[in-house]
Amino acid sequence: MANEVILQISSKLKDYRKSKGITIQQLADRAQVSKGLISQIENNRTIPSLLVLINLIRSLGVDLNDFFADVEQASESKVIVKRSEEYHPFEKEQSKGFLYKRVMTRNIQNLPTDIVILELAPKATRAFMVKTNAFEYKYIISGQVEYIVGDQKYALKAGDSIFFDANLPHKPINTGDTTALMLVMYFFKE
């Protein structure tokens, strides 16, 4: 399955769960999987097996045909223009002050790549470190961000960038008094 489709599916799982007022723990209990697995799936940190995916959809009480009805395959066009109003906001994990907007997701030479804009509210950070099965590139468009990767801290300002193996625990901290804006590229590993 193309990564674009995986991202659409994980987003739909989260949207259906929230619209039905079901907590992650409740869905985990219904589907007999761990709460952590559902969180990782919804936050694009892991890809579920087909059996787990079908089980989750059924545990939400959603018809499989309805669930997949509007999942779209990516265009194979050589030139793709994406307007800013087409960027789709999404939530990776519950972290106050984090606003993600998906610019686009494409397979580039069979490697899934996800490009997003991340807005960090003043002083925003996570209470926890995260890991992603990808390499990450972050370009600071505006603001000041301290990035913690493993046990190292990197102070970044507008125009700076950072690239790292996201299997290392990491998190950003907006150290400024204004919103920080970052271009983020995820180069997923197979």
Side-chain angles (χ1 to χ4, degrees):
M1 232 189 257
N3 198 50
E4 306 87 44
V5 174
I6 296 293
L7 292 171
Q8 289 178 57
I9 289 170
S10 65
S11 180
K12 287 186 82 163
L13 279 171
K14 181 183 278 188
D15 291 346
Y16 271 113
R17 181 183 60 73
K18 286 185 170 187
S19 71
K20 294 179 175 278
I22 299 171
T23 67
I24 291 176
Q25 185 63 60
Q26 290 169 328
L27 181 56
D29 292 344
R30 289 179 186 184
Q32 298 180 338
V33 297
S34 74
K35 179 180 173 182
L37 177 62
I38 292 174
S39 179
Q40 287 183 330
I41 292 167
E42 287 186 356
N43 293 308
N44 302 310
R45 300 212 180 277
T46 193
I47 298 171
S49 70
L50 183 58
L51 290 176
V52 168
L53 176 61
I54 290 170
N55 190 24
L56 289 171
I57 294 167
R58 288 186 174 151
S59 295
L60 287 168
V62 177
D63 180 77
L64 290 173
N65 291 324
D66 291 341
F67 185 88
F68 290 105
D70 61 348
V71 172
E72 299 175 7
Q73 289 284 357
S75 163
E76 295 301 321
S77 174
K78 300 267 186 219
V79 177
I80 301 167
V81 175
K82 195 84 177 227
R83 305 289 180 202
S84 61
E85 60 271 10
E86 297 173 320
Y87 299 170
H88 300 290
F90 67 100
E91 186 178 308
K92 281 183 73 74
E93 54 272 315
Q94 294 181 343
S95 297
K96 187 175 180 176
F98 284 58
L99 174 62
Y100 289 90
K101 292 182 183 174
R102 178 154 289 115
V103 175
M104 94 176 34
T105 301
R106 289 291 177 260
N107 278 340
I108 300 173
Q109 295 190 354
N110 296 322
L111 294 174
T113 303
D114 195 17
I115 304 168
V116 303
I117 298 290
L118 172 57
E119 293 179 24
L120 282 176
K123 308 300 181 196
T125 189
R126 288 190 190 100
F128 51 90
M129 305 276 268
V130 296
K131 293 180 181 182
T132 305
N133 191 29
F135 290 98
E136 292 187 21
Y137 172 79
K138 318 268 182 171
Y139 176 82
I140 312 304
I141 298 169
S142 63
Q144 300 173 51
V145 177
E146 179 178 86
Y147 228 93
I148 301 172
V149 181
D151 59 358
Q152 299 291 312
K153 294 181 181 181
Y154 304 91
L156 305 168
K157 62 183 183 332
D160 292 345
S161 63
I162 187 171
F163 179 83
F164 58 93
D165 183 340
N167 276 314
L168 296 169
H170 59 277
K171 73 175 182 177
I173 303 167
N174 181 343
T175 55
D177 295 326
T178 61
T179 297
L181 188 62
M182 295 190 296
L183 174 67
V184 181
M185 298 177 73
Y186 300 94
F187 301 96
F188 290 95
K189 301 174 184 180
E190 292 202 300

